[in-house]
Amino acid sequence: MEIDEELFDRVIRINLKGPFLVTREILPDMLAASWGRIINITSSSTQSGSSRQVHYVSSKGGLLGMTKALALEYAASGITVNMVPPGFIDTPMLRAAPVDIDAYAASMPMKRIGRPEDIAAACAFLASDQSSYITGQTISTNGGRYMGSA
């Protein structure tokens, strides 16, 4: 009830429309090269939900759907499209949030919060030639917060 239409639209523009516009700009060059890697940063909240964040979860959930649709559309063209949904990552924004970081970390299966390097490593793999047969997939980088079904 606290999320007004202006905030909802702003978050959708940033988290969903922004990646759409960037992807639309880079696809012609990727198609011409018959090669490309698109890696979208979604959120572990799209997998588990998050109270009081319907605007954020909706925007990242839309990005999840966009990733899957693009992966299907461009799979035969040498372009892969995947996503990395970070979990609780040690960033300045997290440090500024009104949350008990240590208590949350203690509740995690790995008993720590993630590092930006953890996300970078997942993205580096998806950007590499070693991931050439992976598309439309989620590399959940969340310390075990969410474990999807097989």
Side-chain angles (χ1 to χ4, degrees), residues 35-41 80 82-84 116-132 134 139 141:
W35 189 94
R37 299 288 186 263
I38 298 171
I39 304 160
N40 288 315
I41 305 300
T80 64
N82 294 290
M83 63 195 120
V84 174
E117 297 84 359
D118 297 321
I119 305 308
C123 291
F125 170 69
L126 289 173
S128 74
D129 286 333
Q130 287 76 33
S131 70
S132 67
I134 299 172
I139 305 296
T141 311

Side-chain angles (χ1 to χ4, degrees), residues 27 30-31 33-36 73-80:
L27 272 172
M30 289 181 171
L31 288 167
S34 297
W35 189 94
E73 188 170 346
Y74 294 102
S77 67
I79 299 168
T80 64

Side-chain angles (χ1 to χ4, degrees), residues 3-23:
I3 299 167
D4 62 22
E5 190 173 346
E6 181 180 325
L7 177 59
F8 186 88
D9 288 345
R10 179 175 172 261
V11 172
I12 293 291
R13 279 192 316 271
I14 292 167
N15 290 341
L16 183 57
K17 188 174 183 180
F20 167 77
L21 293 173
V22 169
T23 300

Side-chain angles (χ1 to χ4, degrees), residues 16-58:
L16 183 57
K17 188 174 183 180
F20 167 77
L21 293 173
V22 169
T23 300
R24 190 176 65 182
E25 289 298 313
I26 63 172
L27 272 172
D29 289 338
M30 289 181 171
L31 288 167
S34 297
W35 189 94
R37 299 288 186 263
I38 298 171
I39 304 160
N40 288 315
I41 305 300
T42 57
S43 171
S44 58
S45 297
T46 65
Q47 298 164 307
S48 62
S50 184
S51 181
R52 303 173 64 117
Q53 289 193 323
V54 70
H55 56 321
Y56 177 76
V57 175
S58 296

